[in-house]
Amino acid sequence: MPNPTAAMLVIGDEILSGRTRDANMHHLAGELSKAGIDLREVRVVSDDRGAIIAAVQALARAFDHVFTSGGIGPTHDDITADCIAAAFGVKIDVRADARALLEDHYAKSEIELNAARLRMARIPDGATLIENPVSAAPGFTLENVHVMAGVPSVFQAMVSSVLPGLTGGAPLISETLRIDRGEGDIAGPLGDLAAEFPDLSMGSYPFQKDGRFGSNIVVRGTDQAAVRSVIARLRATFAG
Amino acid sequence: MPNPTAAMLVIGDEILSGRTRDANMHHLAGELSKAGIDLREVRVVSDDRGAIIAAVQALARAFDHVFTSGGIGPTHDDITADCIAAAFGVKIDVRADARALLEDHYAKSEIELNAARLRMARIPDGATLIENPVSAAPGFTLENVHVMAGVPSVFQAMVSSVLPGLTGGAPLISETLRIDRGEGDIAGPLGDLAAEFPDLSMGSYPFQKDGRFGSNIVVRGTDQAAVRSVIARLRATFAG
């Protein structure tokens, strides 16, 4: 059975403006690889209602899972939860269980649960909550969309809350061989191997270091024996 | 006149698998901000012909410019140039001017211009070349799509080759104010200012450091006086 597929939707003007370098994509990509879920696409869109709704609908239709990051805090630019509700045509309001989590958290820290903070308890109808052990305000899963925070520590905690509940496939095995030759010398033999092993993915990632050319050849697939066999043949071809 | 809009398309299995952390997005975002071109969306897709063609067509229709990164090297997984040609329905073949660049480069470095390397001279009909001062193999611009390499040093050099030829708009001014209060306390006044200045974008990026909560408030726009005025009012509101 093929592995489940996934897409990620990063919501944030701060990444598109160049102010912040996204960190959540790389984290999620690594976790999904380990879980045997194939991340096929990532989109980054701005804090724009139309753009978010269109992206959620397109990705939710095309992939088994969609993971979103960003836009679920208390400020006016945090519009993700409302956009997800709109994308699925369901209502959204403050929900008792989410509100209770916030009341408990803010009572302990002696911070007022004001109107702005209460926005973080707005949950679309039919969603299940995603636990946030860092700062209490929950994420949620609606249909096949998992809605999580943008702050990296919270995002990572929420990914850890969500992934064990999903059915994964075979973990992706990845092995890398560094070859100290120009990519143009490697391309022929590598292309032949790629044609011979259509179930494996082979990538070449060139580098230039101290004036010498080389490339890291990465062979990926779910069949460990096949991956190792290709690496061994590449090593034999380019030895010496 | 509103600023021109742009999207970026990152082509690379290595980013989706979690092996590599993308660096080109952050670089391009910063350069476009300075040039007054609004980066509205980024997509990352795998080395898959159908996915690349669909993304190029969608983004080229929706935005003034599309910048791609990755997949223009000599190996079998480098299929970007062929996909761009297919997306616009034009032919692609080795082109004399691109071939001459490679012949010159490889003659100097005494490396054989073999069939694999010659693939890097495949240029879609009607494209103009993008200079690559790092490793000679050119990028190209076809219609409103600028096709560049994935290796960060080459990508950055190609961005420097392309941007001066594009018509930009007013550079985006961005000022940041750090407020050592929880986001939930900032949200009310910030939302009021956002409503009062609809031409500015205001974002709140919370952090937690040494057990204290705070947020970096970023105000962006093309009107420097307005940006400064909002920062001053925020500072007055949250002083002390």
Side-chain angles (χ1 to χ4, degrees):
Chain A
M1 213 173 72
N3 284 358
T5 60
M8 179 183 192
L9 178 63
V10 179
I11 294 147
D13 283 345
E14 74 277 21
I15 291 155
L16 294 174
S17 73
R19 179 182 175 273
T20 301
R21 190 178 165 190
D22 170 74
N24 294 334
M25 187 187 309
H26 186 57
H27 176 78
L28 182 68
E31 294 301 303
L32 291 179
S33 266
K34 284 190 266 178
I37 296 175
D38 291 349
L39 181 61
R40 295 279 179 86
E41 180 169 340
V42 178
R43 291 192 194 181
V44 186
V45 298
S46 65
D47 305 333
D48 174 86
R49 186 174 164 90
I52 296 170
I53 292 173
V56 167
Q57 289 176 334
L59 297 173
R61 265 197 303 270
F63 301 100
D64 296 326
H65 295 284
V66 178
F67 299 85
T68 81
S69 131
I72 61 168
T75 57
H76 69 281
D77 56 333
D78 291 309
I79 59 174
T80 300
D82 284 82
C83 292
I84 301 287
F88 285 102
V90 303
K91 290 185 184 166
I92 181 169
D93 206 343
V94 170
R95 211 167 81 178
D97 53 352
R99 182 187 182 120
L101 289 170
L102 295 179
E103 282 171 346
D104 186 49
H105 174 75
Y106 289 113
K108 277 182 195 150
S109 39
E110 297 184 349
I111 290 174
E112 182 205 0
L113 179 54
N114 60 15
R117 294 194 171 99
L118 200 56
R119 287 191 65 217
M120 297 190 286
R122 288 171 65 77
I123 305 290
D125 282 2
T128 56
L129 301 187
I130 297 174
E131 190 186 355
N132 169 5
V134 176
S135 51
F140 60 84
T141 294
L142 181 64
E143 304 278 346
N144 61 339
V145 181
H146 312 284
V147 177
M148 299 180 285
V151 176
S153 60
V154 182
F155 179 80
Q156 291 169 23
M158 287 182 172
V159 169
S160 302
S161 301
V162 165
L163 280 188
L166 305 182
T167 305
L172 199 63
I173 308 294
S174 171
E175 295 214 7
T176 302
L177 179 68
R178 174 182 158 158
I179 300 179
D180 285 328
R181 302 271 283 274
E183 241 196 331
D185 293 327
I186 303 167
L190 185 67
D192 294 344
L193 280 167
E196 189 181 339
F197 291 85
D199 290 344
L200 300 183
S201 141
M202 301 179 204
S204 169
Y205 307 106
F207 60 82
Q208 189 177 358
K209 203 178 171 185
D210 304 330
R212 295 184 58 183
F213 289 95
S215 188
N216 285 304
I217 306 302
V218 180
V219 181
R220 297 184 204 93
T222 53
D223 178 348
Q224 185 162 46
V227 169
R228 288 193 174 158
S229 148
V230 168
I231 290 284
R233 283 173 57 183
L234 281 171
R235 190 177 277 124
T237 303
F238 291 103
Chain B
M1 214 173 74
N3 283 358
T5 61
M8 179 183 191
L9 178 63
V10 179
I11 294 146
D13 283 346
E14 74 278 19
I15 290 155
L16 294 174
S17 73
R19 178 182 176 273
T20 302
R21 191 178 165 191
D22 170 74
N24 294 334
M25 188 188 308
H26 186 56
H27 176 77
L28 182 68
E31 293 301 303
L32 291 180
S33 266
K34 284 190 267 178
I37 296 175
D38 290 349
L39 181 61
R40 294 279 179 86
E41 181 169 339
V42 178
R43 291 193 194 179
V44 186
V45 298
S46 64
D47 305 333
D48 174 85
R49 187 174 164 89
I52 296 171
I53 292 174
V56 167
Q57 289 177 335
L59 297 173
R61 264 196 304 270
F63 301 100
D64 295 325
H65 294 285
V66 178
F67 299 86
T68 81
S69 133
I72 61 168
T75 57
H76 67 281
D77 56 333
D78 290 308
I79 60 173
T80 300
D82 284 82
C83 292
I84 301 287
F88 286 101
V90 302
K91 289 186 184 165
I92 180 169
D93 206 344
V94 170
R95 211 168 81 177
D97 53 352
R99 183 188 182 119
L101 290 171
L102 295 180
E103 281 171 347
D104 186 49
H105 175 74
Y106 287 114
K108 278 182 194 149
S109 41
E110 297 185 349
I111 292 175
E112 181 204 0
L113 179 55
N114 60 15
R117 293 194 172 99
L118 200 56
R119 287 190 65 218
M120 295 189 288
R122 287 171 65 77
I123 304 290
D125 281 2
T128 55
L129 301 186
I130 296 174
E131 191 186 354
N132 169 6
V134 177
S135 52
F140 60 84
T141 295
L142 180 64
E143 304 278 345
N144 60 339
V145 181
H146 312 284
V147 177
M148 299 180 285
V151 176
S153 60
V154 182
F155 179 80
Q156 291 170 23
M158 287 183 172
V159 169
S160 302
S161 300
V162 164
L163 280 189
L166 306 181
T167 305
L172 199 62
I173 308 294
S174 172
E175 295 214 7
T176 301
L177 179 69
R178 173 181 159 159
I179 300 179
D180 285 328
R181 302 271 283 274
E183 239 196 334
D185 293 327
I186 303 167
L190 185 66
D192 293 344
L193 280 167
E196 188 181 340
F197 291 86
D199 290 343
L200 301 182
S201 139
M202 301 178 204
S204 168
Y205 307 105
F207 61 80
Q208 189 176 357
K209 202 176 172 187
D210 306 329
R212 296 184 57 184
F213 290 95
S215 187
N216 286 304
I217 306 302
V218 180
V219 181
R220 296 184 204 93
T222 52
D223 178 347
Q224 186 162 46
V227 168
R228 288 194 174 157
S229 148
V230 168
I231 290 283
R233 283 173 57 182
L234 281 169
R235 189 176 277 125
T237 304
F238 291 104

